[in-house]
Amino acid sequence: MGDAGLMWSPQFNYENGEPSHLLPGNRTFRRRARVAHSLRVSDAFFTSICTAHEVTRFTYKSSTCRMLAQCSTLLILANCFSTSAAARPVWREVTANGSWPQPRYSHTAAMSPSGEVLMFGGNMYDPTNDLYVFDLVRSEWSKVKAQGTPPAKRYGHTATVTSDGRMIVVGGFDGKHFLNDVHELSHVNGTYSWRSVPALGCAPSARDGHTA
């Protein structure tokens, strides 16, 4: 992507079979939004989708995560996509080593292509912007100090991992203001790095509690 900014546009684009990340609106300045936005990562292109009728209503729910790290408990739901009767979803608590994150809520936990879980931000009575990695193979937590300038402290944001391992953080709430900024976390040669990505075009309004 280089230093290219994100582009926002008032139409939906899904070209050449490239994936887009859909962000249904939730709270916009404490009002429910009925606008969805799409980010096509390949060329950093944002699009907005306005619903013509008030058919779809998005309620205030936190984003669904693959893993839950809250109250110092780590839970994994296994075989959740299996259709076999013999492989029904089963919850189990994981005994993990390393530097556990503090209890929090409204954080994000996203799976990387390499099989690690990236946990960012959340609310621990106050917003935070710390970054933790959970190694599924070793069952081990580690706190990561990434290079670059991290996103401002926040919760209620989204974090989406691309196929090449980048994590895109969008929006959230910093305790005083709703946000619509975009940040990218890359992992190259064993080093994590943050960078702020300029957003162009028709940007979505600031919000939290949305999904991606």
Side-chain angles (χ1 to χ4, degrees):
M1 288 175 53
D3 293 327
L6 290 177
M7 176 64 71
W8 305 83
S9 170
Q11 67 177 13
F12 182 71
N13 273 299
Y14 195 96
E15 299 175 354
N16 302 322
E18 295 172 347
S20 297
H21 300 289
L22 189 63
L23 284 73
N26 193 338
R27 288 195 302 173
T28 304
F29 298 102
R30 300 197 179 278
R31 296 175 298 172
R32 287 177 180 164
R34 299 184 181 89
V35 180
H37 297 267
S38 172
L39 168 60
R40 191 175 59 213
V41 177
S42 61
D43 58 354
F45 193 89
F46 259 105
T47 59
S48 63
I49 310 163
C50 299
T51 54
H53 305 285
E54 295 187 4
V55 176
T56 303
R57 293 177 181 268
F58 301 107
T59 58
Y60 180 52
K61 295 290 184 182
S62 296
S63 303
T64 300
C65 297
R66 290 187 178 89
M67 302 188 67
L68 171 68
Q70 186 175 12
C71 300
S72 297
T73 301
L74 179 65
L75 302 173
I76 294 180
L77 180 62
N79 300 323
C80 55
F81 297 108
S82 175
T83 58
S84 171
R88 294 178 179 175
V90 177
W91 282 105
R92 67 183 178 91
E93 184 173 346
V94 177
T95 301
N97 302 310
S99 301
W100 278 71
Q102 293 177 281
R104 67 193 63 201
Y105 65 91
S106 293
H107 52 286
T108 52
M111 182 76 73
S112 73
S114 60
E116 296 177 325
V117 178
L118 306 173
M119 195 186 86
F120 173 71
N123 191 320
M124 304 185 298
Y125 298 108
D126 289 303
T128 182
N129 62 350
D130 53 9
L131 175 67
Y132 284 83
V133 174
F134 182 69
D135 189 314
L136 289 169
V137 176
R138 297 187 298 176
S139 289
E140 185 175 77
W141 282 107
S142 60
K143 187 174 183 178
V144 176
K145 184 173 178 59
Q147 295 183 353
T149 302
K153 297 179 179 181
R154 67 190 63 209
Y155 60 95
H157 54 281
T158 59
T160 304
V161 176
T162 63
S163 59
D164 59 359
R166 291 173 292 146
M167 185 172 75
I168 310 298
V169 173
V170 180
F173 186 68
D174 66 4
K176 294 182 178 180
H177 307 98
F178 292 96
L179 307 169
N180 67 345
D181 53 351
V182 181
H183 297 264
E184 176 190 287
L185 177 71
S186 61
H187 189 204
V188 180
N189 297 326
T191 300
Y192 287 96
S193 299
W194 284 110
R195 79 178 185 101
S196 176
V197 183
L200 306 174
C202 183
S205 54
R207 66 191 64 201
D208 72 345
H210 51 288
T211 58

